[in-house]
Amino acid sequence: MTKKLVTTVAAGALFAGLAVAPVAYTQDTTQPQSDQTQTMKPKQPAPATEAPANEAQTTTPPAAGEKPADVAKSDATYLTEQASDQIAASTYIGQSVYNAGDESIGEINDLIIKKDGGVEAAIIGVGGFLGLGEKDVAVPFDRISIAEQPNTDALKLTTTETADTLKAAPEFKTKAQKIAEQNANQPVDTSTTSSTGTTPARPKQ
């Protein structure tokens, strides 16, 4: 009888425990735990930092078709086209020079230009025939008049000089010609020295 009572009590306790366990488990899983839950707050944006005062400021690039100020300034110092009062040196070279009687007295072979600008003289080849026997005469450029031909870029050059005055004028020599003449007039050292600096041995008697 005692064994049957103990068995009955034990069986009742076992069923009671099984009945209570799901309830306790349900309560534990449905209630949030205070130590594990955390309130999620949105992150605040970082405050904008100001650029240091000594940092280089950015510049806005020029728009399409525009030139920077320094480039535009430099372009103003260059010529982009020949003006009506400007003449190229190549226009003078090979031009015939006429006297007052409209007779050709020679052609311009070269121009002498000052270092600070401006034409000093025109080198006119006079005399000779087909370049043979011709000499160069430097005629001051202010003695030559320049007239432009209508509807063309050709020039007509006239001077108060005559063929006789130019033939009698001294010949003009360029710096290169003078240096060449100086080198040609220098005496040539004909003495020779041995490359070894030793006197050849005399044969024995």
Side-chain angles (χ1 to χ4, degrees), residues 114-125:
K114 297 179 180 179
K115 289 183 179 180
D116 57 353
V119 180
E120 182 78 14
I123 307 302
I124 302 177

Side-chain angles (χ1 to χ4, degrees), residues 125-161:
V126 297
F129 180 74
L130 297 178
L132 299 176
E134 182 181 87
K135 73 172 183 178
D136 288 335
V137 177
V139 178
F141 205 70
D142 56 4
R143 298 185 191 177
I144 299 175
S145 300
I146 304 169
E148 294 184 358
Q149 301 298 318
N151 301 324
T152 180
D153 60 348
L155 303 174
K156 185 171 184 179
L157 308 177
T158 57
T159 180
T160 56
E161 300 286 342

Side-chain angles (χ1 to χ4, degrees), residues 86-98:
Q86 297 171 340
I87 301 175
S90 59
T91 306
Y92 290 112
I93 307 300
Q95 286 285 338
S96 296
V97 181
Y98 298 87

Side-chain angles (χ1 to χ4, degrees), residues 52-137:
N54 59 352
E55 187 171 319
Q57 300 293 330
T58 57
T59 57
T60 304
E66 294 184 359
K67 295 182 178 180
D70 54 346
V71 175
K73 184 177 180 181
S74 64
D75 287 349
T77 61
Y78 297 95
L79 298 178
T80 57
E81 61 182 13
Q82 184 177 345
S84 59
D85 60 344
Q86 297 171 340
I87 301 175
S90 59
T91 306
Y92 290 112
I93 307 300
Q95 286 285 338
S96 296
V97 181
Y98 298 87
N99 59 13
D102 201 24
E103 297 173 341
S104 177
I105 59 176
E107 292 183 355
I108 294 182
N109 294 331
D110 208 345
L111 297 175
I112 302 301
I113 301 175
K114 297 179 180 179
K115 289 183 179 180
D116 57 353
V119 180
E120 182 78 14
I123 307 302
I124 302 177
V126 297
F129 180 74
L130 297 178
L132 299 176
E134 182 181 87
K135 73 172 183 178
D136 288 335
V137 177

